Amino acid sequence: MSAAALLKDRQAERAEPLLKVHGLSRLYGPEKGCQDVSFDLYPGEVLGIVGESGSGKSTLLSLLSGRCLPDAGGIDYRRKDGRWVDLYSASEAERRTLLRTEWGFVEQNPRDGLRMAVSAGANIGERLMAQGKRNYQELRAAGIDWLSQVEIDPLRIDDLPRTFSGGMQQRLQIARNLVSGPRLVFMDEPTGGLDVSVQARLLDLLRGLVRELDLAVVIVTHDLAVARLLADRLMVMRRSRVVESGLTDQILDDPQHPYSQLLVSSVLQS
Amino acid sequence: MNTLIEVQDLSKTFTLHQQNGVVLNVLRGLNFSVRGGECLVLHGQSGAGKSTLLRTLYGNYLPAGGSIRVLHEGQWLELVGAEPREVLTVRQQTLGYVSQFLRVIPRVATLDVVMEPALGRGWDREKAKARAEDLLTRLNIPQRLWQLAPGTFSGGEQQRVNIARGFMVDWPVMLLDEPTASLDETNRKVVLELMNEAKAAGAALIGIFHDVAAREAVADRHLDMTPVEMTTKELLQC
């Protein structure tokens, strides 16, 4: 397909939301957790969630990905086949299938998202095997292809992830998620534990992959520079509520809510 | 030529919550429209709100009230209150913005920085590369720098890379925040040529130019942005 035809195809697909979130709440205590969150997410759109620790960012991510259930509210997801699923009335098995086919989840700590006892290649192949691919040559080819896409030497395919550096482990986790061609990926502080030089490389890689694969992403981060680089739009959370949302550069350059202004003005200028 | 952008009763205020809630009224009751092939130059002292106006038109600043309508893919679209994804498609297809400053993305090569607006519109890589190389050559960026990330370039080189990026594709409406500031004579001429080419191609330009020669070379009309005295009622609100 030509680039222009591909673009047209994407535009048609992008006209309808992928995810509709309405009135989502889950409270562990007063203002602990998240409450009354509503938004639509469109294909290819990158939504950043920013805010201080304890503001409810991670709770929201767990709710969105169906890992925990809300006290109130709901989520509708439009599947690849066009059918809408009500996430919380779907069976546990159906949610798990979604999470390892059409969705991905990149954990802050790669050790939580990888299988540390099996090789890099096996980590990448796992989702494909779950989808019924059994041909060893194909799985291995996919492993080699994805290792090079995330800038890891393909010769390391048989090595265990614990022999990798933190940055490599994070890139391996990304490959493991993207191999199944997901449409929606959740990321929890993906650059959190990495040193600055490694962060820049990972961000650049993520930015390229998100565009190339036209991924919708919900990314939780406390780093506003990461948000600026990756997110199309932002939601600012404070004490379990969304206090402001809008276009990323507008929120960062002209924040309206007192808390957003405090957040933006607290960043050191480099 | 047709009107491509129309602004009515536009206002912009900043409320500084961290500084005792001080309210700054920067823009009030602005009305203007710009046609294709025309260049509107913003006139006013430093602090009159010229850059604020450009940023508000681009959606980078949130307007306090009024209307900004652009002709986007054959239809009028209201930008005040538009969804982020609508603003992003307008920025991809209709509204270009060139400032003096390049926001550098780590590790991305100059050529890729310049090509990005075209690739976003679905150009094929070869065509985009040819256009980017042509612009970088015209703006006197040495070929040996094209494959390097512009993070380490001099201020003037970064500015010219940003201009190349800004003129990479045809924009129906272009916002220009002092694109010629601090350029040498040769490069300033190139930028003026690029602006006149854009006008000839039917673009509506809105710009800030402190440099008189540049202003005279492209301006068709001026918008006076001298701050209007506030009414007593407004002063009481502050």
Side-chain angles (χ1 to χ4, degrees):
Chain A
M1 213 187 303
S2 76
L6 190 71
L7 200 73
K8 226 179 176 73
D9 217 43
R10 279 185 179 183
Q11 274 166 355
E13 154 73 10
R14 275 174 176 228
E16 214 185 339
L18 196 61
L19 202 66
K20 292 184 190 171
V21 177
H22 35 94
L24 216 53
S25 297
R26 163 105 194 205
L27 287 177
Y28 302 99
E31 299 189 332
K32 284 275 160 249
C34 76
Q35 51 184 325
D36 205 21
V37 177
S38 300
F39 64 89
D40 287 348
L41 186 73
Y42 285 79
E45 203 174 26
V46 181
L47 169 68
I49 304 173
V50 297
E52 63 199 350
S53 321
S55 60
K57 306 187 297 279
S58 297
T59 305
L60 179 56
L61 205 61
S62 303
L63 288 172
L64 293 175
S65 57
R67 289 180 166 189
C68 74
L69 299 177
D71 302 331
I75 297 179
D76 295 309
Y77 169 72
R78 180 165 57 86
R79 291 180 9 158
K80 222 175 212 159
D81 59 16
R83 203 161 58 81
W84 284 92
V85 214
D86 173 346
L87 187 64
Y88 299 121
S89 59
S91 68
E92 180 65 36
E94 209 171 339
R95 273 201 296 273
R96 262 209 306 263
T97 307
L98 264 187
L99 206 48
R100 49 164 207 253
T101 54
E102 295 190 24
W103 292 5
F105 198 115
V106 176
E107 307 273 359
Q108 174 174 6
N109 185 343
R111 288 164 186 271
D112 297 332
L114 290 171
R115 282 194 198 284
M116 299 305 283
V118 302
S119 71
N123 264 286
I124 295 176
E126 188 175 299
R127 278 174 165 240
L128 295 177
M129 285 174 70
Q131 288 172 15
K133 293 222 168 72
R134 290 286 185 274
N135 181 307
Y136 177 77
Q137 289 307 327
E138 267 177 50
L139 291 172
R140 191 144 180 105
I144 288 170
D145 175 41
W146 270 98
L147 283 177
S148 47
Q149 284 210 54
V150 298
E151 303 174 10
I152 295 175
D153 184 350
L155 290 173
R156 303 290 302 267
I157 190 166
D158 296 316
D159 293 351
L160 292 178
R162 67 176 158 73
T163 66
F164 289 8
S165 70
M168 284 166 74
Q169 287 180 1
Q170 197 56 296
R171 296 201 299 275
L172 180 62
Q173 192 193 181
I174 289 164
R176 171 183 160 88
N177 272 281
L178 297 188
V179 67
S180 64
R183 306 160 76 211
L184 174 60
V185 179
F186 301 98
M187 298 184 186
D188 191 1
E189 305 271 12
T191 58
L194 306 174
D195 68 53
V196 183
S197 61
V198 180
Q199 268 189 28
R201 184 173 181 192
L202 186 72
L203 279 174
D204 181 33
L205 179 80
L206 275 177
R207 199 168 155 272
L209 288 171
V210 163
R211 297 220 174 155
E212 202 178 306
L213 307 172
D214 207 30
L215 293 176
V217 177
V218 180
I219 178 171
V220 162
T221 179
H222 67 270
D223 186 335
L224 299 184
V226 169
R228 193 188 283 274
L229 213 54
L230 288 180
D232 298 319
R233 63 187 175 111
L234 294 183
M235 295 200 310
V236 182
M237 288 192 76
R238 184 183 189 227
R239 295 187 188 154
S240 76
R241 292 177 195 277
V242 174
V243 295
E244 185 170 354
S245 65
L247 200 63
T248 298
D249 59 286
Q250 184 254 296
I251 302 269
L252 296 180
D253 296 336
D254 185 24
Q256 305 293 308
H257 189 275
Y259 175 69
S260 319
Q261 291 188 357
L262 178 68
L263 194 71
V264 170
S265 66
S266 307
V267 177
L268 296 174
Q269 302 285 329
S270 64
Chain B
M1 283 278 202
N2 296 333
T3 299
L4 297 181
I5 181 166
E6 195 171 65
V7 170
Q8 279 174 359
D9 200 25
L10 183 66
S11 60
K12 171 66 193 155
T13 57
F14 293 97
T15 308
L16 309 178
H17 292 287
Q18 303 307 317
Q19 293 172 51
N20 305 316
V22 171
V23 178
L24 304 172
N25 288 292
V26 182
L27 305 175
R28 295 193 310 137
L30 280 179
N31 293 289
F32 62 87
S33 61
V34 188
R35 288 199 292 252
E38 191 181 38
C39 177
L40 178 74
V41 171
L42 309 181
H43 219 40
Q45 288 174 338
S46 179
K50 302 185 295 294
S51 292
T52 297
L53 173 56
L54 289 188
R55 285 171 173 255
T56 306
L57 296 178
Y58 197 58
N60 181 222
Y61 286 172
L62 196 72
S67 156
I68 302 167
R69 298 195 316 142
V70 289
L71 193 61
H72 172 63
E73 295 178 329
Q75 297 198 315
W76 284 99
L77 184 76
E78 174 64 61
L79 289 179
V80 178
E83 289 291 319
R85 57 190 212 98
E86 290 178 311
V87 178
L88 290 173
T89 54
V90 168
R91 286 180 181 182
Q92 191 179 67
Q93 303 294 336
T94 305
L95 197 56
Y97 178 76
V98 184
S99 76
Q100 301 169 54
F101 307 105
L102 178 69
R103 208 178 262 290
V104 186
I105 302 152
R107 295 211 318 156
V108 179
T110 297
L111 205 55
D112 293 311
V113 170
V114 176
M115 278 167 32
E116 200 179 7
L119 297 179
R121 283 193 189 177
W123 288 30
D124 65 54
R125 226 184 142 75
E126 280 313 302
K127 186 181 160 203
K129 189 160 172 263
R131 166 84 181 151
E133 288 177 351
D134 176 48
L135 282 164
L136 288 169
T137 309
R138 282 179 75 181
L139 286 157
N140 303 300
I141 303 286
Q143 191 170 356
R144 64 191 153 79
L145 298 182
W146 295 356
Q147 291 305 328
L148 304 178
T152 54
F153 293 6
S154 75
E157 284 164 343
Q158 288 194 11
Q159 182 182 354
R160 281 177 280 138
V161 170
N162 201 37
I163 290 167
R165 179 185 159 94
F167 285 92
M168 181 67 204
V169 294
D170 288 337
W171 305 100
V173 181
M174 283 194 90
L175 309 172
L176 303 144
D177 193 344
E178 293 214 55
T180 54
S182 70
L183 288 182
D184 62 33
E185 196 51 39
T186 322
N187 286 307
R188 185 164 57 217
K189 270 197 185 133
V190 178
V191 178
L192 293 177
E193 272 169 33
L194 288 169
M195 284 191 284
N196 279 321
E197 284 169 23
K199 277 172 69 177
L205 270 50
I206 303 174
I208 304 170
F209 307 97
H210 281 159
D211 155 36
V212 183
R215 204 154 57 206
E216 281 170 359
V218 289
D220 296 295
R221 284 193 294 137
H222 289 94
L223 180 72
D224 185 14
M225 294 196 59
T226 311
V228 189
E229 287 297 314
M230 273 196 266
T231 60
T232 335
K233 190 180 155 208
E234 282 173 324
L235 282 171
L236 285 172
Q237 282 174 342
C238 292

